[in-house]
Amino acid sequence: MSAEGGTKAIIAALGANLGIAASKFVAFVFTGSSSMLAESIHSVADSGNQGLLLLGNKRSQRARTPQHPFGYGRERFFYAFVVAVVLFTVGAAFSLYEGVHKISDPHEVESPGWAFGVLLVAIAMEGFSFRTAIKESNELRGDKSWVQFVRHAKAPELPVVLLEDLGALVGLVLALFGVTMAVVTGNGVWDGVGTVCIGLLLGVIAVILAIETKSLLIGEGAGPEVERRIIDAMESVDEVDHVMHIRTEYVGPEELLIAAKIAVHHDDTAAEVARGIDAAEAKIRAEFPHARLIYLEPALDEAPREQDRSSAQTAGTESAASS
């Protein structure tokens, strides 16, 4: 579900950005506006980013190998992180450089009608792309807020496209503001101010994306609520006395690894323990189909024995004292 929805949003964003980039470059040629140039580079960077996300999605589907026994699911995390780096270096850094240059050496905006027309068309196209990303995200985020969805989503494509499209829309508004003020006042500095604002906006979005995708690359667990449900599923099996400890980690957006140590009954046979492990795995997979890798280690919980030994020692001491 998340991979399919993410692909639809990526393709919609890619188509919109390619068309917008071409129109912005045409507007830049006629106007000489640094805001239009910054927005052109922004759209080119966004188009490249969508290509990287599609590449990561494709490469993540490769079969497991002896060198990569858990598969290539993390490719999607990696390419999402590369997108954040590209957005910062190409989009933000270039916009900041061009904006500062324009402020220090301002020029009037020529043929502003081109800029206004292209920006309004670009806003409409980016709005369509943003609407597609919102629609696909709503199918996955449930009752989470948008901030929670971006922070906790395990599939990186939709949050990346959402933030890119949001940044693109706000950036277009900033470019429109800069060009309008430059035309109204006759002062090209405003064009540079709009460009600097676009660069700062892209920098903030790039940092947010880098932080979130870095967390996925390092390895995120399923979260306390999901782990509690996994424990409940295992402990509902008769052969499982209780779960001693559990570790979870997403090795891909739709691949959850679960490792747990479970306490079994002291008088269970090996066959009964094996049946219990199989039943526990079946319970987990029934509730969490994306739990692809499950490793359960049976053990005897020695805590009761230690408690009995401590009680016996205490009783022995009391008996010795009384005698």
Side-chain angles (χ1 to χ4, degrees):
M1 175 70 77
S2 57
E4 179 182 354
T7 301
K8 290 180 182 177
I10 294 169
I11 293 175
L14 178 60
N17 281 314
L18 287 174
I20 292 169
S23 61
K24 286 176 181 175
F25 271 119
V26 172
F28 163 70
V29 170
F30 282 95
T31 63
S33 166
S34 66
S35 292
M36 292 306 304
L37 179 58
E39 276 298 305
S40 302
I41 298 301
H42 179 189
S43 294
V44 171
D46 281 352
S47 300
N49 289 343
Q50 272 100 52
L52 288 172
L53 292 176
L54 290 172
L55 177 62
N57 198 349
K58 179 69 174 178
R59 290 179 61 85
S60 70
Q61 298 173 12
R62 289 179 294 168
R64 295 182 178 88
T65 64
Q67 188 177 6
H68 297 278
F70 293 137
Y72 292 85
R74 280 200 173 96
E75 292 262 18
R76 288 167 67 181
F77 301 153
F78 170 75
Y79 281 97
F81 184 79
V82 172
V83 164
V85 175
V86 171
L87 190 62
F88 181 81
T89 55
V90 178
F94 179 83
S95 297
L96 288 171
Y97 168 79
E98 185 64 24
V100 171
H101 175 71
K102 186 73 172 185
I103 292 173
S104 62
D105 184 23
H107 299 281
E108 289 187 8
V109 176
E110 303 173 0
S111 304
W114 277 95
F116 292 136
V118 168
L119 286 172
L120 291 175
V121 171
I123 288 174
M125 295 178 71
E126 284 289 0
F128 168 76
S129 175
F130 192 42
R131 179 179 175 274
T132 302
I134 289 175
K135 181 180 177 182
E136 299 299 332
S137 299
N138 278 331
E139 297 180 5
L140 299 175
R141 74 183 182 98
D143 57 355
K144 295 179 182 176
S145 68
W146 286 108
V147 174
Q148 290 175 326
F149 175 71
V150 171
R151 289 195 60 190
H152 301 297
K154 305 307 179 186
E157 292 85 1
L158 283 174
V160 168
V161 173
L162 275 171
L163 288 177
E164 274 191 352
D165 286 348
L166 177 62
L169 280 173
V170 176
L172 287 167
V173 172
L174 291 173
L176 187 61
F177 170 79
V179 172
T180 301
M181 291 300 295
V183 171
V184 171
T185 64
N187 188 350
V189 169
W190 283 104
D191 189 26
V193 170
T195 307
V196 170
C197 291
I198 292 170
L200 293 174
L201 171 69
L202 294 180
V204 170
I205 292 176
V207 169
I208 293 173
L209 288 177
I211 291 173
E212 296 304 323
T213 52
K214 170 178 170 285
S215 179
L216 290 170
L217 271 175
I218 293 174
E220 286 189 1
E225 181 182 348
V226 174
E227 287 189 358
R228 181 68 257 174
R229 290 167 57 193
I230 294 172
I231 291 172
D232 290 342
M234 287 190 286
E235 291 183 346
S236 67
V237 176
D238 292 337
E239 291 83 358
V240 177
D241 187 73
H242 64 276
V243 176
M244 300 171 68
H245 63 75
I246 182 172
R247 299 290 184 272
T248 61
E249 183 174 314
Y250 277 92
V251 296
E254 286 108 24
E255 291 182 277
L256 179 62
L257 182 149
I258 301 173
K261 192 170 186 177
I262 57 176
V264 297
H265 305 296
H266 289 262
D267 54 351
D268 280 354
T269 64
E272 290 172 332
V273 170
R275 282 196 300 268
I277 290 175
D278 291 342
E281 289 186 6
K283 288 261 189 176
I284 296 171
R285 288 197 168 91
E287 188 167 356
F288 302 96
H290 61 287
R292 308 285 178 83
L293 304 165
I294 303 176
Y295 300 99
L296 304 181
E297 178 186 358
L300 298 178
D301 192 349
E302 299 296 334
R305 292 186 176 183
E306 292 295 333
Q307 185 176 359
D308 293 342
R309 187 180 297 113
S310 177
S311 300
Q313 290 175 350
T314 301
T317 303
E318 293 175 351
S319 176
S322 63
S323 61

